[in-house]
Structures are given as C-alpha cells and as structure tokens.
Amino acid sequence: MEQLFAALEGGLERLNSAPTTEALEAVRVELIGRKGLIAELSKGMGKLSPEERVATGKKLNEAKQTLEAAYEARQAAFKSAALMQRLEAEWLDLTVPPPGVAPGVIHPITQIQTEIEELFVSMGFAVLDGPEVETEWHNFDALNIPPTHPARDMQDTFWVEGGHLLRTHTSPVQVRGMQTFKPPFRMIAPGRVFRNEEVDASHEHTFTQLEGMMVDRDVSIANLTYFMKTLLAKIFGREDVTVRLRPGYFPFVEPGFELDIQCMVCEGSGCPVCKHSGWVELLPCGLVHPQVLKLGGLDPAEWGGFAFGLGLTRLVMMRYAIDDIRWINSGDLRFLNQFGGPRA
Ligand code: DAH
C-alpha cells in the first residue's frame, strides 16, 4: 500500500510534466484509468479493517481527485497552446490598407487616335466609323482599284464567306463618307485594317490607319499640305516640321504623293534612322481621283478633294522609337504600362 501511494505521488509529477497529449493520456490510463493504479488500490481495500478502510478510502479519493485535476489542467494547457499556435499561424492584420486597384493605361494607339481626332474635329472634320468586314466594291472597285490590281491578290486579303473581306485599308470609308455627307464635307476615319501577311518585326496582320478626306470646290495641294503640316506639328509637338511631297501611285488619287518629313533625329543631315537620306516617309496622300468622286456619287466637274492615309501604328512606333511592331498588339503589360495612366 505504502509503495503504491508513493507511486501515486510520482504520478502527479509525471502528469504535470507530460511532454505531449499522447504521453499525458498514457499516464492517465496508468493512474486513473479503469485498470490503473487507483483501481488497483481500491481492490486491495477488502483486506483492510473497517477503520483502515475508511481512512484509506478517503485518501484514495483525495488522490484520485488531485490526479484528475492535474490531468485536466495539463490537458487544458495543451489545448490553449494549440490554440495559440493556430492563432499565430492564421493571424490576419485587419489594419493593413487594401492593395488598391491597379489602373489600366490607354493603349498608345488609342492615345494618338484620340489626339488626332480632337485636332481634326477642331478643324471641322467629322469622325466616321466604317465596317471592318467590307464589301469588295467599297474596298476595291469604288476606289478605282481594278480587278487585276495586285492588292486584290488572295495573299494580301482576308476573304470572308459570301464574298466579303476584312478591309485592307480605311480608304473604303471615303466611299461611305461620300455616300453619307452632302458636299462640302471633311471627314476622318480611324480604324483597324487587316492584311494577310507573314508577321515579323515590321509586318502585322492587324494594324491601325486613319483616313482623311476633304471634299469642296477648288481643293488644292496647298490645302492638303496645310492640313498635313498642322497634323504633324500637333503629333510631334513642334511648329517647324519640314515636309516634302514625292510622287506616289495610288489608284484612288491623282496626283498621288508620298509625304516625307525631314528627319527629326538628324534635322536632315543624314543618320541611320532616315537611312542617311535626311527624310522619313510618313504618309501617302493626294487629290481624289475623278473616277472615285463619280463612283461616290459626286460630280467631279463641281467637286474636288484631297485624301490621306495615316498609319497610326507606324506613327506610334516612330513617336516612341518602338522597333518591333509585334509589341503593339501583344497585350503585354510590361509594354503597355510604359504609356502612363489613363487620361483624366
Ligand atoms: N489606302 C492606302 C493604303 O492603305 C493608303 C492611302 C494612300 C490612303 C493614298 C489615301 C491616299 O487616302 O490618298 O495603302
């Protein structure tokens, strides 16, 4: 009996210092479990005298209560330690400010398009939208492009079922303009155009142009030059853009020109950017061909006009010195985020 009581005393210490919940459970079974030490001692009570039995029973009861209390205290300690650990792991700082919205940027093509639209609107031009899926007639025939013209080659044009096509330029909107407005009128038509081309650093199947057209009486090359110089001054942010006209052939203008600007990198003295010519080809233009006016429903004896086709994609590349056209439609945020925040 004495020995067993001594074991009980040691047991209290073991409960208090059990290192894990498993160890604690093992000690509990050993001491106060159904076949544990207390149970063992209770069984031995039958051999005792009535007085001893009362005294021993009381002692055993007290011991059992002490051990149970120690067990529960230890178990509670384990539980709260586990809880603390969880709290630590799942801690959430509600005072941290939210990450905030990442504002997008306006695509550089859209930026330059908006700028040019604002300029032309301020000069009395209407902004016209044309369909990207066009009729062959608007895209070619009405622009005096004969069926034998290489631009109609299957390799350049994306054809759509039913004889329609993806417009290869914004010039068909000239035709729609003549059908829409009563002369005199001025219009621009920005938009996407499509060519069935092998994509590389300088060719894309999808790019953006901005068409312009002015129809009036006595429209001359001087009018054309004036508007083009105003446009370029705005785009390049300087008044003194020097331009020259070279003859260029396009079936829908006569005469037709390539408008060059003096190289802004070397001011005309020659450098790699202008291939040492001092000039950079910028936009094709000309006086509207009488046949085109006629097909648009206007009398060429009464009305004349100029037209130009500005490559917005090319212009963006020039303005920001972008050396690979594939960046433009890439949607790559590393590229796009360089173009500032959205306009106010
Ligand atoms: N549509 C032509 C092209 O994409 C560009 C062009 C040339 C447009 C001369 C014009 C023009 O308005 O007058 O190649």
Side-chain angles (χ1 to χ4, degrees):
M1 240 351 173
E2 287 307 313
Q3 251 177 349
L4 290 171
F5 273 116
L8 273 179
E9 211 133 296
L12 185 62
E13 181 53 36
R14 284 169 63 204
L15 281 176
N16 285 335
S17 60
T20 62
T21 48
E22 290 79 19
L24 179 65
E25 180 60 16
V27 181
R28 185 193 70 79
V29 169
E30 193 187 313
L31 297 175
I32 45 184
R34 273 198 302 131
K35 291 176 183 166
L37 204 50
I38 296 281
E40 194 83 358
L41 287 168
S42 303
K43 268 194 259 169
M45 293 228 297
K47 295 179 203 135
L48 299 175
S49 67
E51 300 79 44
E52 278 175 329
R53 203 181 299 159
V54 171
T56 309
K58 202 173 162 222
K59 256 186 161 178
L60 270 180
N61 236 346
E62 280 169 9
K64 192 176 176 198
Q65 276 169 16
T66 309
L67 291 172
E68 273 171 357
Y71 167 77
E72 267 155 36
R74 188 71 181 152
Q75 203 184 34
F78 277 131
K79 273 193 187 151
S80 76
L83 188 64
M84 288 311 289
Q85 223 170 31
R86 230 184 101 190
L87 280 174
E88 195 68 37
E90 296 174 15
W91 185 76
L92 189 66
D93 186 355
L94 295 176
T95 66
V96 170
V101 279
V105 302
I106 305 280
H107 195 285
I109 294 278
T110 313
Q111 285 187 28
I112 212 163
Q113 180 181 322
T114 309
E115 272 174 51
I116 297 175
E117 282 181 10
E118 280 167 4
L119 170 73
F120 276 102
V121 166
S122 78
M123 299 190 296
F125 283 71
V127 181
L128 202 62
D129 206 12
E132 290 179 344
V133 177
E134 259 296 5
T135 67
E136 194 175 353
W137 187 79
H138 284 88
N139 195 80
F140 292 128
D141 300 79
L143 290 165
N144 198 31
I145 302 174
T148 51
H149 196 280
R152 290 208 190 192
D153 196 299
M154 294 295 283
Q155 272 153 23
D156 290 328
T157 309
F158 287 114
W159 293 91
V160 177
E161 276 176 36
H164 284 46
L165 48 79
L166 297 188
R167 65 178 178 197
T168 59
H169 51 179
T170 43
S171 300
V173 194
Q174 285 185 29
V175 181
R176 294 183 177 276
M178 289 185 282
Q179 293 171 330
T180 305
F181 301 119
K182 249 171 68 100
F185 67 85
R186 303 169 185 191
M187 56 153 279
I188 54 168
R192 291 194 303 175
V193 302
F194 310 88
R195 303 237 174 121
N196 196 349
E197 301 220 46
E198 204 74 56
V199 173
D200 62 26
S202 47
H203 297 89
E204 252 286 17
H205 49 68
T206 303
F207 52 101
T208 308
Q209 290 186 334
L210 186 138
E211 196 79 14
M213 185 186 220
M214 173 173 164
V215 172
D216 208 329
R217 295 182 175 89
D218 306 321
V219 174
S220 71
I221 293 166
N223 297 124
L224 171 64
T225 316
Y226 166 77
F227 281 106
M228 295 305 98
K229 282 185 109 165
T230 310
L231 166 68
L232 299 174
K234 165 87 175 178
I235 292 171
F236 294 105
R238 45 193 279 184
E239 289 303 319
D240 58 340
V241 185
T242 310
V243 303
R244 75 173 183 191
L245 293 176
R246 268 184 303 121
Y249 172 72
F250 303 93
F252 34 94
V253 280
E254 179 57 39
F257 304 104
E258 288 288 357
L259 185 143
D260 299 338
I261 52 170
Q262 197 171 64
C263 182
M264 293 196 191
V265 176
C266 64
E267 303 290 341
S269 61
C271 71
V273 170
C274 58
K275 298 194 186 92
H276 303 283
S277 72
W279 298 92
V280 178
E281 190 176 305
L282 194 71
L283 65 96
C285 53
L287 296 184
V288 183
H289 196 291
Q291 183 65 13
V292 172
L293 290 167
K294 208 186 281 175
L295 289 167
L298 307 180
D299 178 3
E302 186 178 4
W303 302 104
F306 71 71
F308 63 91
L310 188 60
L312 288 192
T313 301
R314 220 173 95 87
L315 204 57
V316 164
M317 290 177 72
M318 280 178 65
R319 177 143 97 168
Y320 299 107
I322 298 163
D323 59 4
D324 191 325
I325 195 170
R326 288 168 291 195
W327 282 113
I328 304 285
N329 290 342
S330 67
D332 193 320
L333 293 180
R334 292 170 306 173
F335 169 73
L336 292 172
N337 283 332
Q338 299 174 86
F339 298 95
R343 287 156 55 101

